[in-house]
Amino acid sequence: MPTNLKVIEKSIQGAIDRSSQNSAQFAVFDFDNTCIVNDIGDAMMEHLCRHELLRGEVLHRYQKLLEEKNIQDAYILCAQSLAGFTIEKIKSIVTTIIRDEHATTKLTAREEILALMDFLTEHGVANWIVSASPQVLVEQAMAEFGILGKLIGIRNRIQDGVISAKLEEPLPILSGKVNCIKASIDPVRRPILGVGDSMNDLAMLEYAEIKLVIDRNNELTELARSREWLIVS
């Protein structure tokens, strides 16, 4: 049964109270289908293909990889599909996608998750987005939705303002999300809260003290129920 926000906040407050006063706390959130409804990477791939900026077979390969649950290769392909575009061009496309009322994949913010982020900020907890989508996409989407926090995403190398297909390691995909947390946030301390919606987030959730799952009626939701993790609609 989904948990209401007040129960979640009470759990977090208890964890904060138990923690060392000298230890700064942080929470980690997936982005797609967690902070927002739907997926910015999917929306970008569809937009590029629809406007003939990307070959249709690339989109089909991406979708097939997702269907086969080959998550790592799918997210790498999405990031590498941005190669050749300038950062400014991609940011402008993200803005267009989000503001397009007739978009095939409509992106909206999850207000309950944004309220949870505000609660954490008010209690001195730093919010981090740890996403397997390209960082340039998530960064612009965060700006459009007014989502505050620090970001770890898949980072394409940039050459003279142009996005390349070369990606920076570690990649925040599957268990790589934990590697990124250790490399970019803290090598020892664990997040006070982890929030995600799919099995791609499992390692990150297991690494966090409190686990919160977005109920999408999928494999992760079933696992969360069996482990009595917090679940929110």
Side-chain angles (χ1 to χ4, degrees):
M1 184 175 180
T3 312
N4 67 45
L5 188 58
K6 290 299 180 185
V7 172
I8 296 167
E9 290 176 353
K10 185 176 179 180
S11 296
I12 294 168
Q13 185 64 66
I16 293 171
D17 293 343
R18 292 190 301 272
S19 67
S20 168
Q21 296 297 317
N22 298 322
S23 178
Q25 299 294 333
F26 65 95
V28 290
F29 294 77
D30 175 49
F31 186 71
D32 299 298
N33 284 302
T34 298
C35 295
I36 65 170
V37 177
N38 289 319
D39 187 296
I40 186 63
D42 290 354
M44 175 59 72
M45 295 288 279
E46 292 166 3
H47 179 95
L48 293 177
C49 184
R50 187 167 63 252
H51 292 272
E52 299 183 350
L53 299 171
L54 184 70
R55 298 192 311 277
E57 56 264 32
V58 178
L59 175 62
H60 295 150
R61 183 183 167 205
Y62 171 72
Q63 293 171 334
K64 183 173 177 58
L65 288 169
L66 290 175
E67 289 170 5
E68 296 171 347
K69 297 185 178 181
N70 189 343
I71 300 298
Q72 179 130 340
D73 286 351
Y75 284 128
I76 288 173
L77 177 60
C78 178
Q80 291 179 331
S81 296
L82 305 181
F85 292 95
T86 65
I87 295 174
E88 292 308 313
K89 177 62 175 178
I90 290 298
K91 284 185 175 182
S92 71
I93 292 174
V94 171
T95 297
T96 297
I97 290 170
I98 291 172
R99 297 181 184 182
D100 183 2
E101 296 182 357
H102 306 290
T104 304
T105 302
K106 184 62 180 172
L107 305 175
T108 57
R110 287 190 186 274
E111 296 301 331
E112 193 168 29
I113 296 301
L114 269 58
L116 178 58
M117 288 180 161
D118 289 341
F119 172 84
L120 289 162
T121 299
E122 290 168 5
H123 287 76
V125 179
N127 293 316
W128 283 79
I129 307 293
V130 184
S131 173
S133 286
Q135 182 148 325
V136 63
L137 304 187
V138 180
E139 186 174 59
Q140 185 64 19
M142 288 173 66
E144 285 292 318
F145 289 119
I147 299 174
L148 302 178
K150 296 182 180 180
L151 170 64
I152 299 171
I154 294 183
R155 294 170 298 154
N156 297 70
R157 291 185 184 176
I158 309 299
Q159 299 173 345
D160 299 323
V162 177
I163 299 169
S164 79
K166 295 180 180 179
L167 307 178
E168 300 283 355
E169 299 281 351
L171 299 175
I173 306 172
L174 299 168
S175 61
K177 289 199 171 193
V178 175
N179 296 334
C180 287
I181 291 168
K182 291 178 178 178
S184 298
I185 306 176
D186 193 285
V188 178
R189 286 186 299 119
R190 294 172 178 250
I192 195 170
L193 172 71
V195 188
D197 73 285
S198 73
M199 294 302 285
N200 182 43
D201 305 314
L202 179 59
M204 181 176 76
L205 292 169
E206 290 178 329
Y207 189 60
E209 180 177 347
I210 300 171
K211 303 94 162 66
L212 175 61
V213 171
I214 306 299
D215 186 0
R216 296 184 62 217
N217 196 29
N218 58 12
E219 187 178 356
L220 182 64
T221 302
E222 292 304 313
L223 182 65
R225 290 195 183 106
S226 70
R227 296 186 180 183
E228 298 184 339
W229 292 352
L230 298 173
I231 301 173
V232 66
S233 297

